[in-house]
Amino acid sequence: WTVGGLETSLFGFLVTLGFVLTLRTPRGTVGSASLGLVLAAIVLSRPEGVLPAGALFLGRLLDPATRRDLRGHAIVAATAALPALIYLGWRMSYFGNLLPNTYYTKHMAPGESFWRGVWYLKDFFEHNGNLPLYAPIIFAFQSRDTRRVAWLGALVLAIDLPFNLIVGGDWMDQHRFVAPL
């Protein structure tokens, strides 16, 4: 949906930028605030954006390179939370709901959403390279140079992919819930 006018390209860019800023060391105040603003933009660009943004923040908390940077964690959290909370407060006061109408119109029973989500993820992997394309990812965990990147990517996917099982994926082509990640 890159050319379909949807937010998928923006979302993919923001998650990638958040990924880069999360892995970047050393940071300082400006670097931490920049990451926080990018995480806020991820949250505000799509309703499920809180999942990859939260995973990136969790990755920063768990990363041995930044684990002890409590001041940096606080700056990231504050600069991410403030714009998101302001927007959500406005959305709640104006619309009366935290989520957009599309969430409520696409909502389905849990049993149905789970199996539709399984189909959605299966369809994504079958139409986007199948297993041979993803098998080399295992080697990224073995190299010291790429291990941090691989673990952060695995964390983002582990937190975000189950979302598809809860909501049942999406009816639109091009797998916009999975492709940006």
Side-chain angles (χ1 to χ4, degrees):
W1 286 102
T2 308
V3 294
L6 296 176
E7 75 291 342
T8 307
S9 298
L10 171 67
F11 188 70
F13 168 74
L14 290 171
V15 171
T16 302
L17 182 59
F19 208 90
V20 169
L21 292 175
T22 300
L23 291 169
R24 200 166 150 189
T25 50
R27 288 182 180 76
T29 302
V30 173
S32 296
S34 299
L35 174 59
L37 291 174
V38 169
L39 295 181
I42 293 169
V43 169
L44 295 174
S45 66
R46 291 219 328 222
E48 78 276 10
V50 70
L51 298 172
L56 291 170
F57 184 71
L58 180 61
R60 187 185 196 285
L61 290 172
L62 298 175
D63 189 345
T66 56
R67 188 177 299 156
R68 292 193 175 120
D69 184 16
L70 299 180
R71 183 175 179 275
H73 297 322
I75 291 170
V76 171
T79 55
L82 188 61
L85 290 173
I86 289 171
Y87 172 75
L88 290 174
W90 171 83
R91 178 180 242 309
M92 191 65 182
S93 70
Y94 189 81
F95 293 111
N97 289 317
L98 289 176
L99 298 172
N101 291 339
T102 54
Y103 169 79
Y104 300 105
T105 59
K106 293 179 181 180
H107 186 70
M108 59 184 83
E112 182 183 356
S113 64
F114 176 81
W115 291 111
R116 285 183 54 114
V118 168
W119 173 85
Y120 182 78
L121 292 173
K122 178 182 168 291
D123 190 61
F124 171 79
F125 288 111
E126 284 178 354
H127 286 92
N128 293 283
N130 222 325
L131 187 60
L133 179 66
Y134 302 102
I137 292 171
I138 295 167
F139 298 113
F141 288 98
Q142 295 175 348
S143 169
R144 193 153 88 157
D145 297 333
T146 57
R147 193 171 296 140
R148 281 180 67 220
V149 175
W151 278 111
L152 185 59
L155 180 63
V156 169
L157 290 174
I159 289 176
D160 194 80
L161 288 180
F163 166 77
N164 292 284
L165 302 176
I166 294 167
V167 299
D170 189 23
W171 60 270
M172 300 174 87
D173 290 337
Q174 309 304 320
H175 304 96
R176 68 189 183 111
F177 285 168
V178 183
L181 303 175

PDB file of all heavy atoms in Angstrom, residues 129-151:
ATOM      1  N   GLY A 129       8.096 -14.420   0.281  1.00  0.00           N
ATOM      2  CA  GLY A 129       9.372 -15.092   0.351  1.00  0.00           C
ATOM      3  C   GLY A 129       9.376 -16.474   0.955  1.00  0.00           C
ATOM      4  O   GLY A 129      10.314 -17.213   0.766  1.00  0.00           O
ATOM      5  N   ASN A 130       8.343 -16.829   1.714  1.00  0.00           N
ATOM      6  CA  ASN A 130       8.269 -18.125   2.345  1.00  0.00           C
ATOM      7  C   ASN A 130       9.481 -18.368   3.246  1.00  0.00           C
ATOM      8  O   ASN A 130      10.331 -17.502   3.422  1.00  0.00           O
ATOM      9  CB  ASN A 130       8.118 -19.231   1.302  1.00  0.00           C
ATOM     10  CG  ASN A 130       7.112 -20.272   1.731  1.00  0.00           C
ATOM     11  OD1 ASN A 130       7.013 -20.574   2.903  1.00  0.00           O
ATOM     12  ND2 ASN A 130       6.363 -20.797   0.786  1.00  0.00           N
ATOM     13  N   LEU A 131       9.594 -19.509   3.822  1.00  0.00           N
ATOM     14  CA  LEU A 131      10.617 -19.813   4.816  1.00  0.00           C
ATOM     15  C   LEU A 131      12.053 -19.611   4.335  1.00  0.00           C
ATOM     16  O   LEU A 131      12.875 -19.084   5.082  1.00  0.00           O
ATOM     17  CB  LEU A 131      10.423 -21.240   5.343  1.00  0.00           C
ATOM     18  CG  LEU A 131      11.330 -21.629   6.501  1.00  0.00           C
ATOM     19  CD1 LEU A 131      11.098 -20.715   7.706  1.00  0.00           C
ATOM     20  CD2 LEU A 131      11.071 -23.069   6.885  1.00  0.00           C
ATOM     21  N   PRO A 132      12.441 -19.989   3.111  1.00  0.00           N
ATOM     22  CA  PRO A 132      13.843 -19.816   2.713  1.00  0.00           C
ATOM     23  C   PRO A 132      14.340 -18.374   2.810  1.00  0.00           C
ATOM     24  O   PRO A 132      15.507 -18.133   3.088  1.00  0.00           O
ATOM     25  CB  PRO A 132      13.870 -20.301   1.261  1.00  0.00           C
ATOM     26  CG  PRO A 132      12.741 -21.264   1.177  1.00  0.00           C
ATOM     27  CD  PRO A 132      11.680 -20.722   2.093  1.00  0.00           C
ATOM     28  N   LEU A 133      13.449 -17.407   2.639  1.00  0.00           N
ATOM     29  CA  LEU A 133      13.854 -16.007   2.748  1.00  0.00           C
ATOM     30  C   LEU A 133      14.163 -15.623   4.191  1.00  0.00           C
ATOM     31  O   LEU A 133      15.054 -14.831   4.455  1.00  0.00           O
ATOM     32  CB  LEU A 133      12.756 -15.088   2.195  1.00  0.00           C
ATOM     33  CG  LEU A 133      13.033 -13.590   2.265  1.00  0.00           C
ATOM     34  CD1 LEU A 133      14.207 -13.232   1.364  1.00  0.00           C
ATOM     35  CD2 LEU A 133      11.808 -12.813   1.874  1.00  0.00           C
ATOM     36  N   TYR A 134      13.451 -16.213   5.142  1.00  0.00           N
ATOM     37  CA  TYR A 134      13.600 -15.838   6.549  1.00  0.00           C
ATOM     38  C   TYR A 134      14.584 -16.714   7.312  1.00  0.00           C
ATOM     39  O   TYR A 134      15.031 -16.330   8.396  1.00  0.00           O
ATOM     40  CB  TYR A 134      12.227 -15.869   7.229  1.00  0.00           C
ATOM     41  CG  TYR A 134      11.247 -14.952   6.541  1.00  0.00           C
ATOM     42  CD1 TYR A 134      10.275 -15.452   5.686  1.00  0.00           C
ATOM     43  CD2 TYR A 134      11.330 -13.582   6.712  1.00  0.00           C
ATOM     44  CE1 TYR A 134       9.396 -14.608   5.039  1.00  0.00           C
ATOM     45  CE2 TYR A 134      10.461 -12.731   6.063  1.00  0.00           C
ATOM     46  CZ  TYR A 134       9.491 -13.253   5.227  1.00  0.00           C
ATOM     47  OH  TYR A 134       8.643 -12.404   4.579  1.00  0.00           O
ATOM     48  N   ALA A 135      14.939 -17.853   6.790  1.00  0.00           N
ATOM     49  CA  ALA A 135      15.850 -18.772   7.484  1.00  0.00           C
ATOM     50  C   ALA A 135      17.207 -18.153   7.824  1.00  0.00           C
ATOM     51  O   ALA A 135      17.735 -18.390   8.903  1.00  0.00           O
ATOM     52  CB  ALA A 135      16.022 -20.047   6.665  1.00  0.00           C
ATOM     53  N   PRO A 136      17.812 -17.328   6.952  1.00  0.00           N
ATOM     54  CA  PRO A 136      19.124 -16.741   7.294  1.00  0.00           C
ATOM     55  C   PRO A 136      19.111 -15.816   8.507  1.00  0.00           C
ATOM     56  O   PRO A 136      20.164 -15.466   9.024  1.00  0.00           O
ATOM     57  CB  PRO A 136      19.513 -15.968   6.027  1.00  0.00           C
ATOM     58  CG  PRO A 136      18.763 -16.616   4.937  1.00  0.00           C
ATOM     59  CD  PRO A 136      17.468 -17.063   5.561  1.00  0.00           C
ATOM     60  N   ILE A 137      17.930 -15.446   8.984  1.00  0.00           N
ATOM     61  CA  ILE A 137      17.856 -14.585  10.169  1.00  0.00           C
ATOM     62  C   ILE A 137      18.558 -15.254  11.351  1.00  0.00           C
ATOM     63  O   ILE A 137      19.133 -14.583  12.202  1.00  0.00           O
ATOM     64  CB  ILE A 137      16.378 -14.267  10.502  1.00  0.00           C
ATOM     65  CG1 ILE A 137      15.794 -13.372   9.409  1.00  0.00           C
ATOM     66  CG2 ILE A 137      16.240 -13.621  11.857  1.00  0.00           C
ATOM     67  CD1 ILE A 137      14.302 -13.173   9.511  1.00  0.00           C
ATOM     68  N   ILE A 138      18.544 -16.563  11.386  1.00  0.00           N
ATOM     69  CA  ILE A 138      19.200 -17.304  12.470  1.00  0.00           C
ATOM     70  C   ILE A 138      20.669 -16.913  12.585  1.00  0.00           C
ATOM     71  O   ILE A 138      21.211 -16.802  13.679  1.00  0.00           O
ATOM     72  CB  ILE A 138      19.037 -18.822  12.246  1.00  0.00           C
ATOM     73  CG1 ILE A 138      17.566 -19.199  12.356  1.00  0.00           C
ATOM     74  CG2 ILE A 138      19.872 -19.626  13.214  1.00  0.00           C
ATOM     75  CD1 ILE A 138      17.251 -20.586  11.867  1.00  0.00           C
ATOM     76  N   PHE A 139      21.322 -16.664  11.452  1.00  0.00           N
ATOM     77  CA  PHE A 139      22.740 -16.306  11.471  1.00  0.00           C
ATOM     78  C   PHE A 139      22.982 -14.939  12.101  1.00  0.00           C
ATOM     79  O   PHE A 139      24.060 -14.679  12.621  1.00  0.00           O
ATOM     80  CB  PHE A 139      23.327 -16.358  10.060  1.00  0.00           C
ATOM     81  CG  PHE A 139      23.272 -17.728   9.459  1.00  0.00           C
ATOM     82  CD1 PHE A 139      22.467 -17.990   8.371  1.00  0.00           C
ATOM     83  CD2 PHE A 139      24.007 -18.771  10.006  1.00  0.00           C
ATOM     84  CE1 PHE A 139      22.400 -19.258   7.821  1.00  0.00           C
ATOM     85  CE2 PHE A 139      23.951 -20.052   9.464  1.00  0.00           C
ATOM     86  CZ  PHE A 139      23.145 -20.287   8.373  1.00  0.00           C
ATOM     87  N   ALA A 140      22.002 -14.058  12.068  1.00  0.00           N
ATOM     88  CA  ALA A 140      22.165 -12.737  12.676  1.00  0.00           C
ATOM     89  C   ALA A 140      22.348 -12.844  14.184  1.00  0.00           C
ATOM     90  O   ALA A 140      23.027 -12.020  14.785  1.00  0.00           O
ATOM     91  CB  ALA A 140      20.976 -11.856  12.348  1.00  0.00           C
ATOM     92  N   PHE A 141      21.761 -13.867  14.800  1.00  0.00           N
ATOM     93  CA  PHE A 141      21.911 -14.051  16.238  1.00  0.00           C
ATOM     94  C   PHE A 141      23.295 -14.594  16.601  1.00  0.00           C
ATOM     95  O   PHE A 141      23.729 -14.467  17.726  1.00  0.00           O
ATOM     96  CB  PHE A 141      20.829 -14.998  16.774  1.00  0.00           C
ATOM     97  CG  PHE A 141      19.466 -14.394  16.793  1.00  0.00           C
ATOM     98  CD1 PHE A 141      18.568 -14.651  15.782  1.00  0.00           C
ATOM     99  CD2 PHE A 141      19.088 -13.558  17.826  1.00  0.00           C
ATOM    100  CE1 PHE A 141      17.301 -14.094  15.800  1.00  0.00           C
ATOM    101  CE2 PHE A 141      17.826 -12.993  17.859  1.00  0.00           C
ATOM    102  CZ  PHE A 141      16.933 -13.261  16.838  1.00  0.00           C
ATOM    103  N   GLN A 142      23.989 -15.208  15.633  1.00  0.00           N
ATOM    104  CA  GLN A 142      25.278 -15.822  15.917  1.00  0.00           C
ATOM    105  C   GLN A 142      26.434 -14.841  15.800  1.00  0.00           C
ATOM    106  O   GLN A 142      27.462 -15.023  16.433  1.00  0.00           O
ATOM    107  CB  GLN A 142      25.491 -17.010  14.994  1.00  0.00           C
ATOM    108  CG  GLN A 142      24.494 -18.112  15.263  1.00  0.00           C
ATOM    109  CD  GLN A 142      24.608 -19.260  14.279  1.00  0.00           C
ATOM    110  OE1 GLN A 142      25.265 -19.162  13.272  1.00  0.00           O
ATOM    111  NE2 GLN A 142      23.930 -20.348  14.579  1.00  0.00           N
ATOM    112  N   SER A 143      26.274 -13.795  15.003  1.00  0.00           N
ATOM    113  CA  SER A 143      27.341 -12.820  14.815  1.00  0.00           C
ATOM    114  C   SER A 143      27.280 -11.756  15.901  1.00  0.00           C
ATOM    115  O   SER A 143      26.227 -11.198  16.187  1.00  0.00           O
ATOM    116  CB  SER A 143      27.200 -12.150  13.439  1.00  0.00           C
ATOM    117  OG  SER A 143      28.063 -11.052  13.354  1.00  0.00           O
ATOM    118  N   ARG A 144      28.413 -11.456  16.492  1.00  0.00           N
ATOM    119  CA  ARG A 144      28.462 -10.439  17.537  1.00  0.00           C
ATOM    120  C   ARG A 144      28.103  -9.058  16.998  1.00  0.00           C
ATOM    121  O   ARG A 144      27.513  -8.245  17.696  1.00  0.00           O
ATOM    122  CB  ARG A 144      29.851 -10.413  18.163  1.00  0.00           C
ATOM    123  CG  ARG A 144      29.892  -9.631  19.432  1.00  0.00           C
ATOM    124  CD  ARG A 144      30.976 -10.104  20.323  1.00  0.00           C
ATOM    125  NE  ARG A 144      32.227  -9.432  20.043  1.00  0.00           N
ATOM    126  CZ  ARG A 144      33.182  -9.334  20.931  1.00  0.00           C
ATOM    127  NH1 ARG A 144      33.045  -9.878  22.109  1.00  0.00           N
ATOM    128  NH2 ARG A 144      34.303  -8.724  20.638  1.00  0.00           N
ATOM    129  N   ASP A 145      28.400  -8.805  15.732  1.00  0.00           N
ATOM    130  CA  ASP A 145      28.120  -7.509  15.122  1.00  0.00           C
ATOM    131  C   ASP A 145      26.623  -7.259  14.921  1.00  0.00           C
ATOM    132  O   ASP A 145      26.187  -6.112  14.942  1.00  0.00           O
ATOM    133  CB  ASP A 145      28.829  -7.383  13.766  1.00  0.00           C
ATOM    134  CG  ASP A 145      30.334  -7.427  13.905  1.00  0.00           C
ATOM    135  OD1 ASP A 145      30.844  -7.042  14.987  1.00  0.00           O
ATOM    136  OD2 ASP A 145      30.998  -7.839  12.945  1.00  0.00           O
ATOM    137  N   THR A 146      25.855  -8.305  14.721  1.00  0.00           N
ATOM    138  CA  THR A 146      24.431  -8.132  14.410  1.00  0.00           C
ATOM    139  C   THR A 146      23.499  -8.644  15.508  1.00  0.00           C
ATOM    140  O   THR A 146      22.287  -8.551  15.368  1.00  0.00           O
ATOM    141  CB  THR A 146      24.086  -8.852  13.090  1.00  0.00           C
ATOM    142  OG1 THR A 146      24.445 -10.233  13.209  1.00  0.00           O
ATOM    143  CG2 THR A 146      24.800  -8.222  11.920  1.00  0.00           C
ATOM    144  N   ARG A 147      24.055  -9.135  16.586  1.00  0.00           N
ATOM    145  CA  ARG A 147      23.231  -9.746  17.637  1.00  0.00           C
ATOM    146  C   ARG A 147      22.257  -8.743  18.271  1.00  0.00           C
ATOM    147  O   ARG A 147      21.082  -9.052  18.475  1.00  0.00           O
ATOM    148  CB  ARG A 147      24.112 -10.368  18.707  1.00  0.00           C
ATOM    149  CG  ARG A 147      23.346 -11.279  19.648  1.00  0.00           C
ATOM    150  CD  ARG A 147      24.250 -12.053  20.577  1.00  0.00           C
ATOM    151  NE  ARG A 147      25.086 -12.939  19.779  1.00  0.00           N
ATOM    152  CZ  ARG A 147      26.373 -13.171  20.025  1.00  0.00           C
ATOM    153  NH1 ARG A 147      26.968 -12.593  21.036  1.00  0.00           N
ATOM    154  NH2 ARG A 147      27.071 -13.973  19.263  1.00  0.00           N
ATOM    155  N   ARG A 148      22.720  -7.526  18.581  1.00  0.00           N
ATOM    156  CA  ARG A 148      21.824  -6.522  19.182  1.00  0.00           C
ATOM    157  C   ARG A 148      20.660  -6.197  18.256  1.00  0.00           C
ATOM    158  O   ARG A 148      19.527  -6.049  18.685  1.00  0.00           O
ATOM    159  CB  ARG A 148      22.596  -5.227  19.490  1.00  0.00           C
ATOM    160  CG  ARG A 148      23.426  -5.288  20.743  1.00  0.00           C
ATOM    161  CD  ARG A 148      24.162  -3.985  21.012  1.00  0.00           C
ATOM    162  NE  ARG A 148      23.230  -2.912  21.338  1.00  0.00           N
ATOM    163  CZ  ARG A 148      23.356  -1.673  20.899  1.00  0.00           C
ATOM    164  NH1 ARG A 148      24.344  -1.330  20.101  1.00  0.00           N
ATOM    165  NH2 ARG A 148      22.494  -0.749  21.258  1.00  0.00           N
ATOM    166  N   VAL A 149      20.964  -6.059  16.982  1.00  0.00           N
ATOM    167  CA  VAL A 149      19.925  -5.751  15.993  1.00  0.00           C
ATOM    168  C   VAL A 149      18.929  -6.904  15.913  1.00  0.00           C
ATOM    169  O   VAL A 149      17.711  -6.692  15.906  1.00  0.00           O
ATOM    170  CB  VAL A 149      20.556  -5.487  14.607  1.00  0.00           C
ATOM    171  CG1 VAL A 149      19.492  -5.289  13.553  1.00  0.00           C
ATOM    172  CG2 VAL A 149      21.492  -4.296  14.663  1.00  0.00           C
ATOM    173  N   ALA A 150      19.437  -8.124  15.874  1.00  0.00           N
ATOM    174  CA  ALA A 150      18.563  -9.301  15.764  1.00  0.00           C
ATOM    175  C   ALA A 150      17.661  -9.433  16.984  1.00  0.00           C
ATOM    176  O   ALA A 150      16.469  -9.715  16.852  1.00  0.00           O
ATOM    177  CB  ALA A 150      19.408 -10.559  15.572  1.00  0.00           C
ATOM    178  N   TRP A 151      18.217  -9.231  18.174  1.00  0.00           N
ATOM    179  CA  TRP A 151      17.402  -9.353  19.386  1.00  0.00           C
ATOM    180  C   TRP A 151      16.339  -8.260  19.458  1.00  0.00           C
ATOM    181  O   TRP A 151      15.203  -8.528  19.849  1.00  0.00           O
ATOM    182  CB  TRP A 151      18.267  -9.330  20.646  1.00  0.00           C
ATOM    183  CG  TRP A 151      18.859 -10.676  20.926  1.00  0.00           C
ATOM    184  CD1 TRP A 151      20.174 -11.025  20.842  1.00  0.00           C
ATOM    185  CD2 TRP A 151      18.159 -11.866  21.297  1.00  0.00           C
ATOM    186  NE1 TRP A 151      20.324 -12.362  21.136  1.00  0.00           N
ATOM    187  CE2 TRP A 151      19.105 -12.895  21.424  1.00  0.00           C
ATOM    188  CE3 TRP A 151      16.823 -12.150  21.529  1.00  0.00           C
ATOM    189  CZ2 TRP A 151      18.755 -14.192  21.778  1.00  0.00           C
ATOM    190  CZ3 TRP A 151      16.478 -13.436  21.888  1.00  0.00           C
ATOM    191  CH2 TRP A 151      17.440 -14.443  22.008  1.00  0.00           C
TER     192      TRP A 151
END
